[in-house]
Amino acid sequence: MPSKTRRVIEAAHERAIERVLEWIEDEVAVIRYGKDGVYRVRPPGGLVAARFRHYEARSGMPLLHDHLLLSVKGQRLDGKWGSIHTLALHENTVAASALYNELVAAEVCEALGLATEPRTVTPGRRPVMEIAGVPHELIRWSAGR
């Protein structure tokens, strides 16, 4: 892969992770407290997270990806620590993943002069947006688990 392409992809990946985390902090994550978690507040200092970067899939194929671990604890306005509402996080994992994919694709396409196109992966399901012109065989070859 040419170094310019690699730099564009890594920069888009980095920015997308940051923007998805901001979205989770602003729109999804809440700290529950009080009897039965009746009170809910956004974590004012943000979430506590750890990231681990990998450049290969389990198969050894090239695959830039990060593993992100979010703490289930967050600090409230009063300085006490409370539990993050994990069901809300769980219910939004698909949305977070879709947002990440959309952000990366848009930035990479803009920087490299590419376009996206819908591709049916599972008949009867919503199409997935892919980079236009990449053969389906190549996507299947590199996407196996």
Side-chain angles (χ1 to χ4, degrees):
M1 173 184 314
S3 60
K4 177 187 177 199
T5 302
R6 181 182 180 131
R7 284 192 308 272
V8 166
I9 291 169
E10 286 182 339
H13 171 72
E14 189 69 32
R15 278 189 284 279
I17 290 171
E18 290 172 15
R19 289 190 54 203
V20 168
L21 278 174
E22 289 171 2
W23 174 77
I24 291 171
E25 288 176 338
D26 294 343
E27 303 296 332
V28 178
V30 291
I31 300 169
R32 299 176 61 188
Y33 66 101
K35 183 171 172 48
D36 297 324
V38 68
Y39 301 110
R40 297 177 184 204
V41 296
R42 299 268 176 240
L47 296 171
V48 177
R51 275 179 41 191
F52 304 92
R53 175 146 304 162
H54 293 224
Y55 292 91
E56 294 180 345
R58 290 182 182 128
S59 65
M61 298 293 295
L63 177 65
L64 172 64
H65 66 284
D66 286 25
H67 296 269
L68 184 66
L69 304 170
L70 293 178
S71 173
V72 296
K73 294 293 184 182
Q75 196 168 28
R76 302 184 327 218
L77 289 170
D78 62 7
K80 293 182 181 178
W81 288 80
S83 296
I84 300 291
H85 186 28
T86 55
L87 182 58
L89 290 176
H90 179 72
E91 290 173 342
N92 284 280
T93 55
V94 172
S97 178
L99 177 58
Y100 166 85
N101 291 337
E102 181 180 323
L103 292 168
V104 170
E107 187 169 330
V108 168
C109 286
E110 182 177 330
L112 299 177
L114 303 171
T116 58
E117 64 184 1
R119 185 181 313 251
T120 300
V121 176
T122 305
R125 303 287 304 261
R126 190 177 80 198
V128 173
M129 297 305 289
E130 301 280 3
I131 304 264
V134 176
H136 192 60
E137 297 76 31
L138 180 59
I139 294 170
R140 279 194 322 227
W141 173 75
S142 65
R145 186 165 198 192

mmCIF file of all heavy atoms in Angstrom, residues 51-85:
data_model
loop_
_atom_site.group_PDB
_atom_site.id
_atom_site.type_symbol
_atom_site.label_atom_id
_atom_site.label_comp_id
_atom_site.label_asym_id
_atom_site.label_seq_id
_atom_site.Cartn_x
_atom_site.Cartn_y
_atom_site.Cartn_z
ATOM 1 N N ARG A 51 -7.177 1.938 24.963
ATOM 2 C CA ARG A 51 -7.170 1.503 23.563
ATOM 3 C C ARG A 51 -5.935 0.668 23.284
ATOM 4 O O ARG A 51 -4.855 0.964 23.781
ATOM 5 C CB ARG A 51 -7.134 2.715 22.629
ATOM 6 C CG ARG A 51 -8.471 3.259 22.358
ATOM 7 C CD ARG A 51 -8.466 4.468 21.464
ATOM 8 N NE ARG A 51 -7.551 4.420 20.342
ATOM 9 C CZ ARG A 51 -7.289 5.482 19.604
ATOM 10 N NH1 ARG A 51 -7.843 6.649 19.870
ATOM 11 N NH2 ARG A 51 -6.465 5.386 18.590
ATOM 12 N N PHE A 52 -6.127 -0.352 22.445
ATOM 13 C CA PHE A 52 -5.030 -1.212 22.023
ATOM 14 C C PHE A 52 -5.097 -1.324 20.507
ATOM 15 O O PHE A 52 -6.113 -1.767 19.964
ATOM 16 C CB PHE A 52 -5.160 -2.599 22.664
ATOM 17 C CG PHE A 52 -5.234 -2.541 24.160
ATOM 18 C CD1 PHE A 52 -6.470 -2.473 24.799
ATOM 19 C CD2 PHE A 52 -4.081 -2.532 24.923
ATOM 20 C CE1 PHE A 52 -6.547 -2.403 26.183
ATOM 21 C CE2 PHE A 52 -4.159 -2.460 26.307
ATOM 22 C CZ PHE A 52 -5.389 -2.400 26.935
ATOM 23 N N ARG A 53 -4.040 -0.916 19.817
ATOM 24 C CA ARG A 53 -4.027 -0.912 18.352
ATOM 25 C C ARG A 53 -3.407 -2.196 17.821
ATOM 26 O O ARG A 53 -2.405 -2.668 18.323
ATOM 27 C CB ARG A 53 -3.245 0.284 17.830
ATOM 28 C CG ARG A 53 -3.116 0.248 16.322
ATOM 29 C CD ARG A 53 -3.123 1.555 15.650
ATOM 30 N NE ARG A 53 -4.290 2.336 15.961
ATOM 31 C CZ ARG A 53 -4.364 3.641 15.760
ATOM 32 N NH1 ARG A 53 -3.350 4.286 15.256
ATOM 33 N NH2 ARG A 53 -5.455 4.301 16.050
ATOM 34 N N HIS A 54 -4.028 -2.732 16.765
ATOM 35 C CA HIS A 54 -3.526 -3.900 16.052
ATOM 36 C C HIS A 54 -3.493 -3.573 14.563
ATOM 37 O O HIS A 54 -4.301 -2.781 14.079
ATOM 38 C CB HIS A 54 -4.443 -5.106 16.265
ATOM 39 C CG HIS A 54 -4.446 -5.615 17.669
ATOM 40 N ND1 HIS A 54 -4.385 -6.940 17.971
ATOM 41 C CD2 HIS A 54 -4.499 -4.983 18.861
ATOM 42 C CE1 HIS A 54 -4.404 -7.106 19.281
ATOM 43 N NE2 HIS A 54 -4.478 -5.922 19.847
ATOM 44 N N TYR A 55 -2.587 -4.205 13.856
ATOM 45 C CA TYR A 55 -2.457 -3.980 12.424
ATOM 46 C C TYR A 55 -2.780 -5.227 11.614
ATOM 47 O O TYR A 55 -2.724 -5.198 10.393
ATOM 48 C CB TYR A 55 -1.053 -3.490 12.086
ATOM 49 C CG TYR A 55 -0.794 -2.101 12.621
ATOM 50 C CD1 TYR A 55 -0.243 -1.912 13.880
ATOM 51 C CD2 TYR A 55 -1.135 -0.982 11.882
ATOM 52 C CE1 TYR A 55 -0.022 -0.638 14.385
ATOM 53 C CE2 TYR A 55 -0.921 0.299 12.372
ATOM 54 C CZ TYR A 55 -0.366 0.460 13.622
ATOM 55 O OH TYR A 55 -0.161 1.723 14.110
ATOM 56 N N GLU A 56 -3.111 -6.306 12.277
ATOM 57 C CA GLU A 56 -3.431 -7.556 11.588
ATOM 58 C C GLU A 56 -4.652 -8.203 12.216
ATOM 59 O O GLU A 56 -4.914 -8.038 13.404
ATOM 60 C CB GLU A 56 -2.269 -8.547 11.687
ATOM 61 C CG GLU A 56 -1.018 -8.126 10.971
ATOM 62 C CD GLU A 56 0.094 -9.156 11.108
ATOM 63 O OE1 GLU A 56 -0.011 -10.055 11.975
ATOM 64 O OE2 GLU A 56 1.071 -9.062 10.357
ATOM 65 N N ALA A 57 -5.350 -8.983 11.399
ATOM 66 C CA ALA A 57 -6.450 -9.815 11.881
ATOM 67 C C ALA A 57 -5.853 -11.092 12.480
ATOM 68 O O ALA A 57 -4.654 -11.355 12.350
ATOM 69 C CB ALA A 57 -7.391 -10.157 10.731
ATOM 70 N N ARG A 58 -6.671 -11.891 13.100
ATOM 71 C CA ARG A 58 -6.202 -13.173 13.654
ATOM 72 C C ARG A 58 -5.572 -14.053 12.584
ATOM 73 O O ARG A 58 -4.688 -14.842 12.860
ATOM 74 C CB ARG A 58 -7.377 -13.920 14.291
ATOM 75 C CG ARG A 58 -7.870 -13.300 15.542
ATOM 76 C CD ARG A 58 -8.993 -14.132 16.138
ATOM 77 N NE ARG A 58 -9.490 -13.483 17.330
ATOM 78 C CZ ARG A 58 -10.757 -13.214 17.551
ATOM 79 N NH1 ARG A 58 -11.669 -13.565 16.669
ATOM 80 N NH2 ARG A 58 -11.115 -12.615 18.647
ATOM 81 N N SER A 59 -6.067 -13.919 11.354
ATOM 82 C CA SER A 59 -5.578 -14.736 10.247
ATOM 83 C C SER A 59 -4.201 -14.298 9.759
ATOM 84 O O SER A 59 -3.587 -14.976 8.946
ATOM 85 C CB SER A 59 -6.554 -14.647 9.078
ATOM 86 O OG SER A 59 -6.585 -13.313 8.572
ATOM 87 N N GLY A 60 -3.723 -13.140 10.233
ATOM 88 C CA GLY A 60 -2.456 -12.606 9.764
ATOM 89 C C GLY A 60 -2.609 -11.625 8.615
ATOM 90 O O GLY A 60 -1.642 -11.019 8.172
ATOM 91 N N MET A 61 -3.835 -11.456 8.134
ATOM 92 C CA MET A 61 -4.108 -10.509 7.052
ATOM 93 C C MET A 61 -4.015 -9.084 7.596
ATOM 94 O O MET A 61 -4.351 -8.843 8.748
ATOM 95 C CB MET A 61 -5.509 -10.727 6.485
ATOM 96 C CG MET A 61 -5.737 -12.097 5.868
ATOM 97 S SD MET A 61 -4.771 -12.328 4.390
ATOM 98 C CE MET A 61 -5.503 -11.100 3.345
ATOM 99 N N PRO A 62 -3.578 -8.121 6.769
ATOM 100 C CA PRO A 62 -3.537 -6.730 7.227
ATOM 101 C C PRO A 62 -4.937 -6.232 7.592
ATOM 102 O O PRO A 62 -5.886 -6.416 6.835
ATOM 103 C CB PRO A 62 -3.010 -5.961 6.010
ATOM 104 C CG PRO A 62 -2.462 -6.973 5.087
ATOM 105 C CD PRO A 62 -3.139 -8.273 5.395
ATOM 106 N N LEU A 63 -5.073 -5.654 8.761
ATOM 107 C CA LEU A 63 -6.359 -5.115 9.200
ATOM 108 C C LEU A 63 -6.118 -4.144 10.354
ATOM 109 O O LEU A 63 -5.939 -4.556 11.500
ATOM 110 C CB LEU A 63 -7.316 -6.228 9.651
ATOM 111 C CG LEU A 63 -8.664 -5.755 10.192
ATOM 112 C CD1 LEU A 63 -9.480 -5.059 9.096
ATOM 113 C CD2 LEU A 63 -9.446 -6.899 10.784
ATOM 114 N N LEU A 64 -6.077 -2.852 10.037
ATOM 115 C CA LEU A 64 -5.940 -1.836 11.068
ATOM 116 C C LEU A 64 -7.210 -1.827 11.909
ATOM 117 O O LEU A 64 -8.306 -1.682 11.380
ATOM 118 C CB LEU A 64 -5.735 -0.458 10.428
ATOM 119 C CG LEU A 64 -5.755 0.735 11.382
ATOM 120 C CD1 LEU A 64 -4.591 0.666 12.360
ATOM 121 C CD2 LEU A 64 -5.731 2.034 10.589
ATOM 122 N N HIS A 65 -7.059 -2.004 13.220
ATOM 123 C CA HIS A 65 -8.209 -1.919 14.119
ATOM 124 C C HIS A 65 -7.731 -1.677 15.544
ATOM 125 O O HIS A 65 -6.591 -1.967 15.876
ATOM 126 C CB HIS A 65 -9.078 -3.184 14.055
ATOM 127 C CG HIS A 65 -8.404 -4.425 14.561
ATOM 128 N ND1 HIS A 65 -7.445 -5.109 13.846
ATOM 129 C CD2 HIS A 65 -8.552 -5.108 15.720
ATOM 130 C CE1 HIS A 65 -7.033 -6.164 14.536
ATOM 131 N NE2 HIS A 65 -7.687 -6.183 15.685
ATOM 132 N N ASP A 66 -8.591 -1.070 16.331
ATOM 133 C CA ASP A 66 -8.303 -0.827 17.737
ATOM 134 C C ASP A 66 -9.323 -1.573 18.578
ATOM 135 O O ASP A 66 -10.485 -1.682 18.185
ATOM 136 C CB ASP A 66 -8.417 0.665 18.078
ATOM 137 C CG ASP A 66 -7.245 1.478 17.553
ATOM 138 O OD1 ASP A 66 -6.626 1.055 16.572
ATOM 139 O OD2 ASP A 66 -6.969 2.531 18.131
ATOM 140 N N HIS A 67 -8.874 -2.060 19.719
ATOM 141 C CA HIS A 67 -9.782 -2.593 20.728
ATOM 142 C C HIS A 67 -9.937 -1.481 21.758
ATOM 143 O O HIS A 67 -8.950 -0.892 22.198
ATOM 144 C CB HIS A 67 -9.218 -3.855 21.379
ATOM 145 C CG HIS A 67 -9.068 -4.977 20.414
ATOM 146 N ND1 HIS A 67 -10.055 -5.901 20.198
ATOM 147 C CD2 HIS A 67 -8.058 -5.303 19.571
ATOM 148 C CE1 HIS A 67 -9.651 -6.760 19.287
ATOM 149 N NE2 HIS A 67 -8.446 -6.417 18.882
ATOM 150 N N LEU A 68 -11.166 -1.187 22.112
ATOM 151 C CA LEU A 68 -11.440 -0.091 23.034
ATOM 152 C C LEU A 68 -12.214 -0.634 24.226
ATOM 153 O O LEU A 68 -13.271 -1.249 24.061
ATOM 154 C CB LEU A 68 -12.268 0.980 22.316
ATOM 155 C CG LEU A 68 -12.583 2.233 23.083
ATOM 156 C CD1 LEU A 68 -11.308 3.021 23.356
ATOM 157 C CD2 LEU A 68 -13.539 3.100 22.288
ATOM 158 N N LEU A 69 -11.679 -0.422 25.399
ATOM 159 C CA LEU A 69 -12.328 -0.849 26.634
ATOM 160 C C LEU A 69 -12.816 0.385 27.379
ATOM 161 O O LEU A 69 -12.024 1.289 27.664
ATOM 162 C CB LEU A 69 -11.355 -1.624 27.521
ATOM 163 C CG LEU A 69 -10.692 -2.842 26.872
ATOM 164 C CD1 LEU A 69 -9.584 -3.365 27.754
ATOM 165 C CD2 LEU A 69 -11.725 -3.907 26.604
ATOM 166 N N LEU A 70 -14.112 0.436 27.667
ATOM 167 C CA LEU A 70 -14.685 1.552 28.421
ATOM 168 C C LEU A 70 -14.917 1.110 29.859
ATOM 169 O O LEU A 70 -15.437 0.031 30.106
ATOM 170 C CB LEU A 70 -16.018 1.984 27.817
ATOM 171 C CG LEU A 70 -15.973 2.615 26.442
ATOM 172 C CD1 LEU A 70 -17.381 2.932 25.961
ATOM 173 C CD2 LEU A 70 -15.130 3.868 26.446
ATOM 174 N N SER A 71 -14.553 1.972 30.796
ATOM 175 C CA SER A 71 -14.821 1.695 32.197
ATOM 176 C C SER A 71 -16.328 1.791 32.439
ATOM 177 O O SER A 71 -17.011 2.608 31.830
ATOM 178 C CB SER A 71 -14.106 2.707 33.090
ATOM 179 O OG SER A 71 -14.495 2.534 34.440
ATOM 180 N N VAL A 72 -16.833 0.966 33.322
ATOM 181 C CA VAL A 72 -18.248 1.033 33.676
ATOM 182 C C VAL A 72 -18.479 2.009 34.826
ATOM 183 O O VAL A 72 -19.576 2.104 35.345
ATOM 184 C CB VAL A 72 -18.834 -0.353 34.023
ATOM 185 C CG1 VAL A 72 -18.796 -1.263 32.811
ATOM 186 C CG2 VAL A 72 -18.111 -0.977 35.206
ATOM 187 N N LYS A 73 -17.461 2.758 35.175
ATOM 188 C CA LYS A 73 -17.576 3.772 36.227
ATOM 189 C C LYS A 73 -17.295 5.144 35.624
ATOM 190 O O LYS A 73 -16.460 5.299 34.747
ATOM 191 C CB LYS A 73 -16.579 3.518 37.364
ATOM 192 C CG LYS A 73 -16.848 2.241 38.135
ATOM 193 C CD LYS A 73 -18.143 2.349 38.894
ATOM 194 C CE LYS A 73 -18.385 1.119 39.747
ATOM 195 N NZ LYS A 73 -19.652 1.195 40.441
ATOM 196 N N GLY A 74 -18.002 6.140 36.133
ATOM 197 C CA GLY A 74 -17.805 7.512 35.692
ATOM 198 C C GLY A 74 -17.969 8.451 36.873
ATOM 199 O O GLY A 74 -18.684 8.147 37.827
ATOM 200 N N GLN A 75 -17.311 9.600 36.792
ATOM 201 C CA GLN A 75 -17.375 10.557 37.895
ATOM 202 C C GLN A 75 -18.529 11.530 37.674
ATOM 203 O O GLN A 75 -18.688 12.101 36.601
ATOM 204 C CB GLN A 75 -16.061 11.317 38.010
ATOM 205 C CG GLN A 75 -15.904 12.018 39.335
ATOM 206 C CD GLN A 75 -14.485 12.506 39.543
ATOM 207 O OE1 GLN A 75 -13.773 12.794 38.604
ATOM 208 N NE2 GLN A 75 -14.082 12.593 40.804
ATOM 209 N N ARG A 76 -19.326 11.705 38.729
ATOM 210 C CA ARG A 76 -20.471 12.623 38.686
ATOM 211 C C ARG A 76 -20.024 14.043 38.987
ATOM 212 O O ARG A 76 -18.882 14.290 39.352
ATOM 213 C CB ARG A 76 -21.526 12.182 39.705
ATOM 214 C CG ARG A 76 -22.025 10.774 39.494
ATOM 215 C CD ARG A 76 -23.137 10.364 40.428
ATOM 216 N NE ARG A 76 -23.114 10.931 41.763
ATOM 217 C CZ ARG A 76 -23.453 10.287 42.861
ATOM 218 N NH1 ARG A 76 -23.856 9.036 42.799
ATOM 219 N NH2 ARG A 76 -23.432 10.880 44.038
ATOM 220 N N LEU A 77 -20.957 14.986 38.867
ATOM 221 C CA LEU A 77 -20.662 16.394 39.170
ATOM 222 C C LEU A 77 -20.233 16.600 40.611
ATOM 223 O O LEU A 77 -19.433 17.488 40.909
ATOM 224 C CB LEU A 77 -21.886 17.260 38.870
ATOM 225 C CG LEU A 77 -22.208 17.445 37.390
ATOM 226 C CD1 LEU A 77 -23.575 18.099 37.224
ATOM 227 C CD2 LEU A 77 -21.139 18.276 36.709
ATOM 228 N N ASP A 78 -20.760 15.776 41.538
ATOM 229 C CA ASP A 78 -20.419 15.931 42.954
ATOM 230 C C ASP A 78 -19.086 15.263 43.314
ATOM 231 O O ASP A 78 -18.695 15.232 44.473
ATOM 232 C CB ASP A 78 -21.538 15.391 43.849
ATOM 233 C CG ASP A 78 -21.800 13.900 43.659
ATOM 234 O OD1 ASP A 78 -21.031 13.224 42.930
ATOM 235 O OD2 ASP A 78 -22.793 13.396 44.232
ATOM 236 N N GLY A 79 -18.387 14.723 42.315
ATOM 237 C CA GLY A 79 -17.085 14.111 42.546
ATOM 238 C C GLY A 79 -17.137 12.629 42.876
ATOM 239 O O GLY A 79 -16.115 11.954 42.861
ATOM 240 N N LYS A 80 -18.325 12.122 43.168
ATOM 241 C CA LYS A 80 -18.462 10.691 43.464
ATOM 242 C C LYS A 80 -18.477 9.908 42.155
ATOM 243 O O LYS A 80 -18.814 10.430 41.101
ATOM 244 C CB LYS A 80 -19.744 10.430 44.246
ATOM 245 C CG LYS A 80 -19.729 11.032 45.633
ATOM 246 C CD LYS A 80 -20.999 10.705 46.375
ATOM 247 C CE LYS A 80 -20.970 11.339 47.761
ATOM 248 N NZ LYS A 80 -22.203 11.087 48.495
ATOM 249 N N TRP A 81 -18.128 8.638 42.283
ATOM 250 C CA TRP A 81 -18.112 7.771 41.104
ATOM 251 C C TRP A 81 -19.374 6.930 41.093
ATOM 252 O O TRP A 81 -19.820 6.449 42.139
ATOM 253 C CB TRP A 81 -16.871 6.877 41.124
ATOM 254 C CG TRP A 81 -15.630 7.658 40.827
ATOM 255 C CD1 TRP A 81 -14.926 8.432 41.698
ATOM 256 C CD2 TRP A 81 -14.996 7.785 39.570
ATOM 257 N NE1 TRP A 81 -13.880 9.031 41.059
ATOM 258 C CE2 TRP A 81 -13.887 8.651 39.752
ATOM 259 C CE3 TRP A 81 -15.228 7.265 38.306
ATOM 260 C CZ2 TRP A 81 -13.024 8.991 38.707
ATOM 261 C CZ3 TRP A 81 -14.368 7.600 37.274
ATOM 262 C CH2 TRP A 81 -13.290 8.464 37.480
ATOM 263 N N GLY A 82 -19.956 6.785 39.927
ATOM 264 C CA GLY A 82 -21.166 5.982 39.776
ATOM 265 C C GLY A 82 -21.032 5.040 38.589
ATOM 266 O O GLY A 82 -20.049 5.077 37.849
ATOM 267 N N SER A 83 -22.035 4.223 38.416
ATOM 268 C CA SER A 83 -22.018 3.231 37.339
ATOM 269 C C SER A 83 -22.593 3.807 36.054
ATOM 270 O O SER A 83 -23.648 4.440 36.064
ATOM 271 C CB SER A 83 -22.838 2.004 37.747
ATOM 272 O OG SER A 83 -22.241 1.368 38.847
ATOM 273 N N ILE A 84 -21.886 3.558 34.975
ATOM 274 C CA ILE A 84 -22.387 3.932 33.648
ATOM 275 C C ILE A 84 -23.537 2.979 33.315
ATOM 276 O O ILE A 84 -23.487 1.793 33.618
ATOM 277 C CB ILE A 84 -21.269 3.807 32.587
ATOM 278 C CG1 ILE A 84 -20.085 4.709 32.921
ATOM 279 C CG2 ILE A 84 -21.807 4.081 31.197
ATOM 280 C CD1 ILE A 84 -20.336 6.192 32.787
ATOM 281 N N HIS A 85 -24.570 3.498 32.708
ATOM 282 C CA HIS A 85 -25.723 2.695 32.299
ATOM 283 C C HIS A 85 -25.288 1.820 31.114
ATOM 284 O O HIS A 85 -25.296 2.243 29.966
ATOM 285 C CB HIS A 85 -26.870 3.623 31.921
ATOM 286 C CG HIS A 85 -28.160 2.944 31.608
ATOM 287 N ND1 HIS A 85 -28.529 1.735 32.144
ATOM 288 C CD2 HIS A 85 -29.176 3.315 30.792
ATOM 289 C CE1 HIS A 85 -29.718 1.391 31.680
ATOM 290 N NE2 HIS A 85 -30.122 2.338 30.855
#
